[in-house]
Amino acid sequence: MSTTPATAVPFFPPALFEADRAELIGLVREVGLDPEQRFILGSRTAAFEELLRADLGAADVVACSSGTSALSLVLRAMDIGPGDEVIVPAFGCAPLASSVVAVGAVPVFADIRPDTMTMDPDAAQRLVTERTRVVMPAHMFSVMADMPRFAELARRHGLRLLEDSAVAQGGVLRGVPAGLWGEAGVYSFVQVKTCGMPGEGGVVITRDQALGERVRMLRNHGQRPGRRFVHQAVGVNSRFDEIQAAFQTHRYAGFPARLARRAEIAAYYTERFTPLADRGVTPPPDRDGRCFYVYTVLADARDALAAHLAEHGVASHVYYPSPLPAHPAFAPYAPPDARWPAAAQASRRHLSLPVHHLLTDAQVRQVADLVCAFATTHG
């Protein structure tokens, strides 16, 4: 019978919020007993939105129920609908395509760059038609997309630029925070993200005050703040929880330190893994615009590497085993003769390693030693 190694390294830590447990319990009581009895979109949500807005230098930040909801809200606020095309990456999470389908528009899949696994600007350029309204690049794992190129592409063709920055909170490219390269961006706060919380939630961030106001209206059944039961448009229920808002505000001061620890771990991995490229294991490119949601290598023998790590108690994760156009849900939007070779290759080769801030130095060395030993043996 096999046994779990004593030095097991979890991919995401089960005790992620243990240090803040007393604060969270206190906030549940505080909000629950507040005479105002306001559990969504109250003063705590407004304070959290303002904290982020001021820290980022955004025109507006609008908290909503999830990162997925945030994408759909921005598309609706941009009046994207039937007959419109939105260029999205062929590799990534389902909301990249489902948020487009949800507003009645057509997702048009562009291939990715083999090194960053983010949408290739040249591939996107070739897909622009008279029906294209939006280009929606996504940051992937620990690397931001080439936003300067996408900003130029959008400007040249008169397109809206929506940045799926759900995994990239804390990332900065050329001095611009992730989410503020386009007209709007989004963050996700699901617990595994860099600034995650014990629940579901997200925000829209924007430099366009009018766009932010429209998202704010749509997230609450089409009601403007202070005008309850007057519905300006058919909106949705995408409202933010007051307990989570207070908890995020409490933890935000520690976000830079948590992010710095992730960056430190990633830098160590990259130093150890860079010499392995000719042995079948390639680290993410070490470049401007890094973010540290997860640390993902490309491995020729991906499944064997994952099994090797698991045998020694190290958890890893394959996020996207198929390109988006290969899924039954999105196949109807994929031209029958289209191919996405880089996306297909990334689906076969990517493997994400633990990089959370609670890893000890010994655990980080253990992960790196195991990957290097595998590459030496199998490369």
Side-chain angles (χ1 to χ4, degrees):
M1 179 182 296
S2 62
T3 59
T4 301
T7 53
V9 182
F11 190 72
F12 291 120
L16 183 60
F17 304 109
E18 180 61 28
D20 302 289
R21 177 170 58 168
E23 179 72 20
L24 180 57
I25 293 172
L27 288 172
V28 171
R29 180 177 178 82
E30 175 188 306
V31 174
L33 297 179
D34 191 321
E36 189 180 22
Q37 290 291 284
R38 185 73 176 268
F39 304 122
I40 53 171
L41 298 187
S43 60
R44 296 168 180 85
T45 298
F48 179 51
E49 290 172 335
E50 175 56 24
L51 174 65
L52 287 177
R53 189 206 64 76
D55 192 37
L56 294 166
D60 203 1
V61 171
V62 185
C64 50
S65 62
S66 68
T68 299
S69 178
L71 287 176
S72 294
L73 283 167
V74 175
L75 289 169
R76 289 195 60 187
M78 290 178 170
D79 292 321
I80 304 304
D84 297 330
E85 293 180 349
V86 180
I87 299 175
V88 303
F91 178 77
C93 62
L96 284 166
S98 63
S99 63
V100 177
V101 175
V103 299
V106 176
V108 177
F109 297 105
D111 208 358
I112 60 173
R113 288 181 46 172
D115 56 345
T116 64
M117 291 180 278
T118 60
M119 188 159 65
D120 183 348
D122 293 329
Q125 163 72 40
R126 292 191 291 270
L127 294 171
V128 175
T129 72
E130 68 278 3
R131 295 179 298 278
T132 307
R133 294 284 306 283
V134 182
V135 59
M136 190 164 73
H139 309 314
M140 187 59 58
F141 301 135
S142 63
V143 184
M144 288 177 62
D146 191 346
M147 296 311 300
R149 289 279 308 280
F150 284 113
E152 171 58 23
L153 174 66
R155 185 200 61 78
R156 189 166 62 249
H157 292 280
L159 304 176
R160 317 294 293 263
L161 179 56
L162 171 54
E163 186 179 349
D164 182 355
S165 45
V167 307
Q169 187 175 0
V172 178
L173 174 60
R174 296 191 185 180
V176 179
L180 287 177
W181 275 91
E183 291 178 66
V186 305
Y187 294 150
S188 168
F189 299 137
V190 71
Q191 73 269 24
V192 298
K193 299 298 196 297
T194 55
C195 196
M197 66 189 195
E200 189 79 73
V203 291
V204 172
I205 56 178
T206 180
R207 295 188 185 277
D208 184 336
Q209 184 69 47
L211 187 65
E213 290 175 358
R214 183 159 174 79
V215 169
R216 193 176 300 278
M217 174 190 66
L218 290 170
R219 75 169 174 186
N220 189 20
H221 296 299
Q223 302 167 101
R224 292 197 176 105
R227 298 291 306 279
R228 193 178 182 191
F229 303 128
V230 178
H231 302 275
Q232 306 294 332
V234 177
V236 297
N237 178 357
S238 181
R239 300 176 295 201
F240 204 77
D241 181 270
E242 283 285 276
I243 295 171
Q244 298 287 13
F247 189 63
Q248 285 295 80
T249 299
H250 159 72
R251 294 188 80 237
Y252 197 68
F255 179 49
R258 297 193 299 272
L259 199 65
R261 175 57 177 164
R262 287 171 175 261
E264 179 184 31
I265 295 169
Y268 178 78
Y269 283 162
T270 296
E271 180 183 357
R272 294 288 305 275
F273 300 159
T274 296
L276 305 180
D278 60 351
R279 293 181 175 271
V281 176
T282 305
D286 191 12
R287 45 165 266 187
D288 189 26
R290 290 297 301 275
C291 47
F292 302 101
Y293 164 47
V294 291
Y295 187 96
T296 304
V297 299
L298 291 170
D300 292 345
R302 188 267 307 284
D303 293 343
L305 174 56
H308 172 75
L309 292 170
E311 287 169 6
H312 293 83
V314 174
S316 60
H317 194 64
V318 174
Y319 275 84
Y320 311 120
S322 300
L324 284 173
H327 291 262
F330 308 122
Y333 304 97
D337 58 343
R339 297 292 181 271
W340 300 270
Q345 183 183 68
S347 296
R348 291 191 299 268
R349 298 185 65 215
H350 79 280
L351 185 69
S352 296
L353 307 175
V355 75
H356 58 81
H357 68 282
L358 294 180
L359 290 170
T360 66
D361 289 347
Q363 288 175 319
V364 174
R365 286 193 298 271
Q366 180 185 3
V367 174
D369 288 347
L370 287 167
V371 172
C372 290
F374 177 87
T376 300
T377 304
H378 295 78

